[in-house]
Amino acid sequence: MEELVVSVFCITYNHEPYIRDAIEGFLDQKTNFVYEIIIHDDASTDNTAKIIREYELKYPNLIKGIFQDKNQYGKSDENKKYLFLYHQIVKNCKGKYVAVCDGDDFWIDSGKLQMQVDYMEQHPECMMTAHNEIVLDCKKFTVVSMNRNCGNSVLKANELIPQKILLQPSSRVFRRKAWKLNDFLKEFGIGDYPTILHFLEEGTIYYFDRIMAVYRHYSQGSWSENISLSKKSALLSAVELIDLVEKYNDYTKRKYDVPCICQIQRMADSIIYWGEGLDEGTLIKICEECNIKKERKYRNIIGRLIKLHREISNVEYLDNIISEFVKKHSKIYIMGAGNYANIIAKKLEFYGMKYEGFIISNNQNIATEYMGKPVWKFKDIDIKNIGIIIGINPVIWDEITCSLTEFDVENYICPFLL
C-alpha cells in the first residue's frame, strides 16, 4: 500500500452554494503521491451534507465525510471552537502533510499540492507553505490579488506578525508532526492567525507568489460578513487580536518585539480610525458595550485604547509621560514632520513647553521648516544631549526603531504606543 502523503481537510457549514467548487478543486489535483479528502460537515441545515455524500459515494476511496448531528463549532466559545477543529484534524488526518480549505473557498491550480509538497520534501526545516490567492468580494463582486508582488521567499517575522503578507487557510499545507498543542494554542485556540504564529516558532514558512486558490470574502454567513455588520464585533475582534499578540510577545520572551508592536498598533488604528474616524464618545459607548460578561478581561486594553484616542484627538490632553520627559531635557525635538508630529507640537505649544523643532531621517527630502520651526536631519544634530518625542504613527515601529538604532538614540519616548 502506497504511503498517504497529504490529508486534505475541509470544514463546512451551510455552504451549499460553494461546496461543489471546493470539492472539484480537491479532485482536480495532479500529484505523483496519494492523498485523501476529509470533509467535516458541522450539522448544516441546508443541502451541504447531501452534496458531500453524493461525492463520497462517487469517490469512496478518496473522500471521507464526517457528519455532525449537532453543531459543534457554533455552540462553543472561540477557543473551544478551534480546539475542536484541532482534535478533528489529529483524529482523522493520516497524511504526512495536511492541506486545509474552508468549504466556501476553492483551489484553481491543479499543481498546487504537488508544488507545496515538493518544496517541503526538499526543505525539512519548513513547517508550512502557503501561496497567493484571488479575493472574491461577494458583496461588490470584485476580484483582486490577496498579495501583490511579494515574490517566492521564506517569510520573516516582520512580514508574518504584522500581516504584511496574508496567508489564508485555503493556501496552507503544513507538516502534521508540527501540529502541536502547546500552552499558547491551548489559550488562544487553533485559529487562522495563532496557527501562523505557532509554525513561525516551529520552523520556517515558505510563500509561493502564485495564485492557486480563491478566497470568498463576505460570503454568506462567514466571519468577514458578520464582522462587517457590527462595530462591537469588529472592535472586539481587534481587541482580542491585540491581547493575543501581547501574550505571544511574552510567550516568545519578546523575541519578536518590534513586529508585535507594529501589529498591535495596526489593530489600534483599525479601531480609532474606523471608517472616517470615531469620535471619543462613540468609541467609549462601544467600549462600554464590550466591557460586559466575558469581555471584561479586555478592560485594560479598552482603557488604553480610549487613552490613545484621547492622545491623538485632544490637543488639551497631555500625558504625564510627555511633561516629565520635557522637564528632564534642556532641548526637545519632535521626530517626524507629519500629522502625529503636528499633534505633539500643538500640545507642547498649548502648555507653553519649548521645543527646538523637528528631526527626520537622512533619506527624507521635505521643507526645511514645519509649523514655523526648523526641520533637521539626524546627521545634523548632537543626539547625545537632547530628548526626542516620536511624532510618528507607531504602525511603522520597525522603521522608527531602525532610525533610532542607526543614530544611537537613547533618550526618546513615543506617547502613541498602545
Side-chain angles (χ1 to χ4, degrees), residues 20 37 42 54 80 98 130 133 175 187 202 276 300 303 312 345 393 409 415-416:
R20 288 186 188 277
I37 301 169
D42 200 12
E54 171 192 322
K80 290 181 180 177
V98 177
E133 296 195 352
R175 292 185 190 273
E187 179 169 1
E202 292 294 314
E276 296 180 356
N300 176 267
I312 294 169
N393 190 335
V409 177
F416 301 112

PDB file of all heavy atoms in Angstrom, residues 20 37 42 54 80 98 130 133 175 187 202 276 300 303 312 345 393 409 415-416:
ATOM      1  N   ARG A  20     -19.426  22.501  -3.909  1.00  0.00           N
ATOM      2  CA  ARG A  20     -19.022  21.773  -5.117  1.00  0.00           C
ATOM      3  C   ARG A  20     -17.713  22.335  -5.688  1.00  0.00           C
ATOM      4  O   ARG A  20     -16.853  21.581  -6.143  1.00  0.00           O
ATOM      5  CB  ARG A  20     -20.120  21.822  -6.173  1.00  0.00           C
ATOM      6  CG  ARG A  20     -21.335  20.966  -5.858  1.00  0.00           C
ATOM      7  CD  ARG A  20     -22.331  20.938  -7.015  1.00  0.00           C
ATOM      8  NE  ARG A  20     -23.560  20.279  -6.621  1.00  0.00           N
ATOM      9  CZ  ARG A  20     -23.741  18.958  -6.632  1.00  0.00           C
ATOM     10  NH1 ARG A  20     -22.747  18.158  -7.027  1.00  0.00           N
ATOM     11  NH2 ARG A  20     -24.894  18.444  -6.260  1.00  0.00           N
ATOM     12  N   ILE A  37      -9.176  13.034   1.010  1.00  0.00           N
ATOM     13  CA  ILE A  37     -10.003  14.232   1.198  1.00  0.00           C
ATOM     14  C   ILE A  37     -10.975  13.963   2.339  1.00  0.00           C
ATOM     15  O   ILE A  37     -11.796  13.043   2.265  1.00  0.00           O
ATOM     16  CB  ILE A  37     -10.783  14.582  -0.081  1.00  0.00           C
ATOM     17  CG1 ILE A  37      -9.822  14.828  -1.245  1.00  0.00           C
ATOM     18  CG2 ILE A  37     -11.673  15.805   0.154  1.00  0.00           C
ATOM     19  CD1 ILE A  37     -10.517  14.908  -2.605  1.00  0.00           C
ATOM     20  N   ASP A  42     -20.473  20.420   9.764  1.00  0.00           N
ATOM     21  CA  ASP A  42     -20.839  20.711  11.148  1.00  0.00           C
ATOM     22  C   ASP A  42     -22.351  20.918  11.294  1.00  0.00           C
ATOM     23  O   ASP A  42     -22.813  21.977  11.686  1.00  0.00           O
ATOM     24  CB  ASP A  42     -20.070  21.943  11.631  1.00  0.00           C
ATOM     25  CG  ASP A  42     -20.003  22.024  13.150  1.00  0.00           C
ATOM     26  OD1 ASP A  42     -20.353  21.032  13.812  1.00  0.00           O
ATOM     27  OD2 ASP A  42     -19.609  23.079  13.659  1.00  0.00           O
ATOM     28  N   GLU A  54     -22.981  12.690  -1.828  1.00  0.00           N
ATOM     29  CA  GLU A  54     -23.007  12.393  -3.271  1.00  0.00           C
ATOM     30  C   GLU A  54     -21.584  12.148  -3.784  1.00  0.00           C
ATOM     31  O   GLU A  54     -21.324  11.168  -4.503  1.00  0.00           O
ATOM     32  CB  GLU A  54     -23.650  13.573  -4.011  1.00  0.00           C
ATOM     33  CG  GLU A  54     -23.574  13.522  -5.518  1.00  0.00           C
ATOM     34  CD  GLU A  54     -23.967  14.855  -6.150  1.00  0.00           C
ATOM     35  OE1 GLU A  54     -24.893  15.514  -5.640  1.00  0.00           O
ATOM     36  OE2 GLU A  54     -23.319  15.231  -7.155  1.00  0.00           O
ATOM     37  N   LYS A  80     -12.605  26.984  22.258  1.00  0.00           N
ATOM     38  CA  LYS A  80     -13.081  25.615  22.157  1.00  0.00           C
ATOM     39  C   LYS A  80     -13.450  25.264  20.722  1.00  0.00           C
ATOM     40  O   LYS A  80     -13.303  24.123  20.290  1.00  0.00           O
ATOM     41  CB  LYS A  80     -14.261  25.396  23.097  1.00  0.00           C
ATOM     42  CG  LYS A  80     -13.865  25.396  24.562  1.00  0.00           C
ATOM     43  CD  LYS A  80     -15.048  25.160  25.475  1.00  0.00           C
ATOM     44  CE  LYS A  80     -14.620  25.169  26.948  1.00  0.00           C
ATOM     45  NZ  LYS A  80     -15.774  25.001  27.856  1.00  0.00           N
ATOM     46  N   VAL A  98      -0.802  18.123   5.927  1.00  0.00           N
ATOM     47  CA  VAL A  98      -2.229  18.460   5.947  1.00  0.00           C
ATOM     48  C   VAL A  98      -2.437  19.734   5.138  1.00  0.00           C
ATOM     49  O   VAL A  98      -1.743  20.739   5.351  1.00  0.00           O
ATOM     50  CB  VAL A  98      -2.739  18.673   7.390  1.00  0.00           C
ATOM     51  CG1 VAL A  98      -4.216  19.089   7.373  1.00  0.00           C
ATOM     52  CG2 VAL A  98      -2.564  17.406   8.215  1.00  0.00           C
ATOM     53  N   ALA A 130       2.589  28.266   1.907  1.00  0.00           N
ATOM     54  CA  ALA A 130       1.331  28.946   1.554  1.00  0.00           C
ATOM     55  C   ALA A 130       1.555  29.669   0.234  1.00  0.00           C
ATOM     56  O   ALA A 130       2.666  29.707  -0.295  1.00  0.00           O
ATOM     57  CB  ALA A 130       0.924  29.921   2.654  1.00  0.00           C
ATOM     58  N   GLU A 133      -3.507  34.225  -3.424  1.00  0.00           N
ATOM     59  CA  GLU A 133      -4.877  33.851  -3.777  1.00  0.00           C
ATOM     60  C   GLU A 133      -5.598  35.025  -4.432  1.00  0.00           C
ATOM     61  O   GLU A 133      -5.163  36.179  -4.337  1.00  0.00           O
ATOM     62  CB  GLU A 133      -5.673  33.445  -2.523  1.00  0.00           C
ATOM     63  CG  GLU A 133      -5.151  32.220  -1.830  1.00  0.00           C
ATOM     64  CD  GLU A 133      -6.162  31.660  -0.832  1.00  0.00           C
ATOM     65  OE1 GLU A 133      -7.200  32.291  -0.573  1.00  0.00           O
ATOM     66  OE2 GLU A 133      -5.905  30.580  -0.328  1.00  0.00           O
ATOM     67  N   ARG A 175       3.178  20.466   8.027  1.00  0.00           N
ATOM     68  CA  ARG A 175       3.597  19.143   8.498  1.00  0.00           C
ATOM     69  C   ARG A 175       2.718  18.722   9.675  1.00  0.00           C
ATOM     70  O   ARG A 175       2.604  19.449  10.658  1.00  0.00           O
ATOM     71  CB  ARG A 175       5.063  19.162   8.940  1.00  0.00           C
ATOM     72  CG  ARG A 175       6.041  19.364   7.822  1.00  0.00           C
ATOM     73  CD  ARG A 175       7.480  19.254   8.317  1.00  0.00           C
ATOM     74  NE  ARG A 175       8.383  19.695   7.266  1.00  0.00           N
ATOM     75  CZ  ARG A 175       8.859  18.906   6.302  1.00  0.00           C
ATOM     76  NH1 ARG A 175       8.518  17.633   6.290  1.00  0.00           N
ATOM     77  NH2 ARG A 175       9.661  19.390   5.375  1.00  0.00           N
ATOM     78  N   GLU A 187      -4.465  28.341  25.018  1.00  0.00           N
ATOM     79  CA  GLU A 187      -5.140  29.560  25.471  1.00  0.00           C
ATOM     80  C   GLU A 187      -5.895  30.242  24.343  1.00  0.00           C
ATOM     81  O   GLU A 187      -7.007  30.711  24.531  1.00  0.00           O
ATOM     82  CB  GLU A 187      -4.138  30.540  26.076  1.00  0.00           C
ATOM     83  CG  GLU A 187      -4.797  31.833  26.544  1.00  0.00           C
ATOM     84  CD  GLU A 187      -3.885  32.709  27.369  1.00  0.00           C
ATOM     85  OE1 GLU A 187      -2.711  32.344  27.572  1.00  0.00           O
ATOM     86  OE2 GLU A 187      -4.346  33.773  27.827  1.00  0.00           O
ATOM     87  N   GLU A 202       7.965  26.914  15.130  1.00  0.00           N
ATOM     88  CA  GLU A 202       8.358  25.524  14.881  1.00  0.00           C
ATOM     89  C   GLU A 202       9.425  25.391  13.808  1.00  0.00           C
ATOM     90  O   GLU A 202      10.203  24.437  13.795  1.00  0.00           O
ATOM     91  CB  GLU A 202       7.124  24.699  14.479  1.00  0.00           C
ATOM     92  CG  GLU A 202       6.106  24.507  15.582  1.00  0.00           C
ATOM     93  CD  GLU A 202       6.649  23.671  16.722  1.00  0.00           C
ATOM     94  OE1 GLU A 202       7.257  22.623  16.463  1.00  0.00           O
ATOM     95  OE2 GLU A 202       6.484  24.084  17.885  1.00  0.00           O
ATOM     96  N   GLU A 276     -14.337  56.879   8.791  1.00  0.00           N
ATOM     97  CA  GLU A 276     -13.697  58.189   8.710  1.00  0.00           C
ATOM     98  C   GLU A 276     -13.178  58.632  10.076  1.00  0.00           C
ATOM     99  O   GLU A 276     -12.759  59.760  10.265  1.00  0.00           O
ATOM    100  CB  GLU A 276     -14.697  59.214   8.162  1.00  0.00           C
ATOM    101  CG  GLU A 276     -15.126  58.920   6.728  1.00  0.00           C
ATOM    102  CD  GLU A 276     -16.114  59.932   6.209  1.00  0.00           C
ATOM    103  OE1 GLU A 276     -16.526  60.816   6.991  1.00  0.00           O
ATOM    104  OE2 GLU A 276     -16.474  59.837   5.035  1.00  0.00           O
ATOM    105  N   ASN A 300      -8.495  46.319  30.432  1.00  0.00           N
ATOM    106  CA  ASN A 300      -7.234  47.073  30.412  1.00  0.00           C
ATOM    107  C   ASN A 300      -6.913  47.585  29.004  1.00  0.00           C
ATOM    108  O   ASN A 300      -6.553  48.748  28.813  1.00  0.00           O
ATOM    109  CB  ASN A 300      -6.087  46.196  30.927  1.00  0.00           C
ATOM    110  CG  ASN A 300      -4.737  46.886  30.832  1.00  0.00           C
ATOM    111  OD1 ASN A 300      -4.034  46.716  29.839  1.00  0.00           O
ATOM    112  ND2 ASN A 300      -4.381  47.647  31.849  1.00  0.00           N
ATOM    113  N   GLY A 303      -9.310  50.346  28.002  1.00  0.00           N
ATOM    114  CA  GLY A 303      -8.955  51.601  28.665  1.00  0.00           C
ATOM    115  C   GLY A 303      -7.776  52.283  27.985  1.00  0.00           C
ATOM    116  O   GLY A 303      -7.751  53.501  27.814  1.00  0.00           O
ATOM    117  N   ILE A 312      -4.504  61.300  20.598  1.00  0.00           N
ATOM    118  CA  ILE A 312      -4.470  61.695  19.195  1.00  0.00           C
ATOM    119  C   ILE A 312      -5.446  62.828  18.890  1.00  0.00           C
ATOM    120  O   ILE A 312      -5.120  63.755  18.139  1.00  0.00           O
ATOM    121  CB  ILE A 312      -4.791  60.475  18.290  1.00  0.00           C
ATOM    122  CG1 ILE A 312      -3.675  59.424  18.407  1.00  0.00           C
ATOM    123  CG2 ILE A 312      -4.976  60.889  16.834  1.00  0.00           C
ATOM    124  CD1 ILE A 312      -4.009  58.100  17.769  1.00  0.00           C
ATOM    125  N   ALA A 345       3.406  68.842  18.621  1.00  0.00           N
ATOM    126  CA  ALA A 345       3.792  70.260  18.622  1.00  0.00           C
ATOM    127  C   ALA A 345       2.687  71.134  19.205  1.00  0.00           C
ATOM    128  O   ALA A 345       2.946  72.032  20.020  1.00  0.00           O
ATOM    129  CB  ALA A 345       4.126  70.706  17.201  1.00  0.00           C
ATOM    130  N   ASN A 393       3.269  57.742  13.597  1.00  0.00           N
ATOM    131  CA  ASN A 393       2.365  56.643  13.915  1.00  0.00           C
ATOM    132  C   ASN A 393       3.177  55.352  14.090  1.00  0.00           C
ATOM    133  O   ASN A 393       3.884  54.936  13.178  1.00  0.00           O
ATOM    134  CB  ASN A 393       1.346  56.461  12.786  1.00  0.00           C
ATOM    135  CG  ASN A 393       0.231  55.504  13.156  1.00  0.00           C
ATOM    136  OD1 ASN A 393       0.395  54.630  14.008  1.00  0.00           O
ATOM    137  ND2 ASN A 393      -0.908  55.645  12.508  1.00  0.00           N
ATOM    138  N   VAL A 409      20.166  56.604  19.277  1.00  0.00           N
ATOM    139  CA  VAL A 409      19.261  57.445  20.066  1.00  0.00           C
ATOM    140  C   VAL A 409      18.797  56.657  21.295  1.00  0.00           C
ATOM    141  O   VAL A 409      18.262  55.559  21.174  1.00  0.00           O
ATOM    142  CB  VAL A 409      18.039  57.889  19.236  1.00  0.00           C
ATOM    143  CG1 VAL A 409      17.078  58.699  20.096  1.00  0.00           C
ATOM    144  CG2 VAL A 409      18.489  58.690  18.020  1.00  0.00           C
ATOM    145  N   PRO A 415       4.530  58.683  22.778  1.00  0.00           N
ATOM    146  CA  PRO A 415       3.259  58.697  23.505  1.00  0.00           C
ATOM    147  C   PRO A 415       2.119  57.979  22.768  1.00  0.00           C
ATOM    148  O   PRO A 415       1.044  57.826  23.332  1.00  0.00           O
ATOM    149  CB  PRO A 415       2.953  60.197  23.645  1.00  0.00           C
ATOM    150  CG  PRO A 415       3.696  60.839  22.532  1.00  0.00           C
ATOM    151  CD  PRO A 415       4.919  60.018  22.313  1.00  0.00           C
ATOM    152  N   PHE A 416       2.382  57.560  21.533  1.00  0.00           N
ATOM    153  CA  PHE A 416       1.313  56.931  20.746  1.00  0.00           C
ATOM    154  C   PHE A 416       1.372  55.412  20.769  1.00  0.00           C
ATOM    155  O   PHE A 416       0.603  54.754  20.058  1.00  0.00           O
ATOM    156  CB  PHE A 416       1.386  57.440  19.300  1.00  0.00           C
ATOM    157  CG  PHE A 416       1.239  58.927  19.186  1.00  0.00           C
ATOM    158  CD1 PHE A 416       2.312  59.706  18.778  1.00  0.00           C
ATOM    159  CD2 PHE A 416       0.055  59.559  19.515  1.00  0.00           C
ATOM    160  CE1 PHE A 416       2.202  61.083  18.675  1.00  0.00           C
ATOM    161  CE2 PHE A 416      -0.067  60.934  19.422  1.00  0.00           C
ATOM    162  CZ  PHE A 416       1.006  61.694  18.999  1.00  0.00           C
TER     163      PHE A 416
END
